[in-house]
Amino acid sequence: MTQAHILLAHGSRNADWRRPFECIAARFGERHPERRVFLCYLEMWAPDLQETIARTYAEGVREFRISPLFWSSGRHLQEDLPRLLGELEQRFPAIRISVDEPLGEREPVLAAVLDVLA
């Protein structure tokens, strides 16, 4: 496997907040055993994005796909994430990183929310 798929969540002081994200990561990993799936956090929890990428890069992975588990592209995704990615690209010159749009901005997620709310 040459690519790591990182599910990026925000982080919270409340430990219960992690449960849905851990469930998503576990189920996604079960559905895609061919992928190296990692759950990491932007802040407050470990592992964080930098730690996850550094460890996986050391194992030989050079390509990373980040899927933000966020509702929308707010300050964290518009400012904090690009800054972190710039730092990682400086630190690991051969790295290739792609970033998906936030979950809440994807049509299938919006449709599912509307179904649940009906």
Side-chain angles (χ1 to χ4, degrees), residues 52-85:
T52 300
I53 287 181
R55 182 172 16 97
T56 311
Y57 189 93
E59 295 170 4
V61 175
R62 298 294 180 262
E63 187 174 332
F64 296 83
R65 176 181 172 188
I66 299 174
S67 296
L69 303 180
F70 285 67
W71 277 107
S72 65
S73 184
R75 182 180 58 82
H76 287 307
L77 296 184
Q78 292 175 2
E79 297 174 17
D80 298 335
L81 183 59
R83 179 183 46 78
L84 291 172
L85 296 180

Side-chain angles (χ1 to χ4, degrees), residues 24 68-72 101-117:
I24 289 169
L69 303 180
F70 285 67
W71 277 107
S72 65
E101 64 184 331
L103 288 181
E105 295 179 7
R106 296 180 181 189
E107 187 54 41
V109 173
L110 294 173
V113 168
L114 292 172
D115 288 344
V116 169
L117 293 174

Side-chain angles (χ1 to χ4, degrees), residues 1-93:
M1 287 182 232
T2 59
Q3 183 187 69
H5 194 153
I6 297 173
L7 307 181
L8 178 65
H10 181 277
S12 171
R13 287 176 180 81
N14 182 340
D16 292 336
W17 172 90
R18 291 175 64 135
R19 265 188 258 148
F21 299 101
E22 291 169 346
C23 180
I24 289 169
R27 290 169 116 181
F28 187 74
E30 289 168 4
R31 275 193 187 181
H32 296 282
E34 76 284 1
R35 296 186 194 181
R36 294 190 66 188
V37 176
F38 300 91
L39 175 62
C40 65
Y41 303 93
L42 195 57
E43 58 186 23
M44 296 186 220
W45 286 97
D48 65 20
L49 181 64
Q50 301 93 312
E51 175 186 339
T52 300
I53 287 181
R55 182 172 16 97
T56 311
Y57 189 93
E59 295 170 4
V61 175
R62 298 294 180 262
E63 187 174 332
F64 296 83
R65 176 181 172 188
I66 299 174
S67 296
L69 303 180
F70 285 67
W71 277 107
S72 65
S73 184
R75 182 180 58 82
H76 287 307
L77 296 184
Q78 292 175 2
E79 297 174 17
D80 298 335
L81 183 59
R83 179 183 46 78
L84 291 172
L85 296 180
E87 292 170 6
L88 288 163
E89 288 168 346
Q90 289 285 324
R91 187 172 165 196
F92 305 111

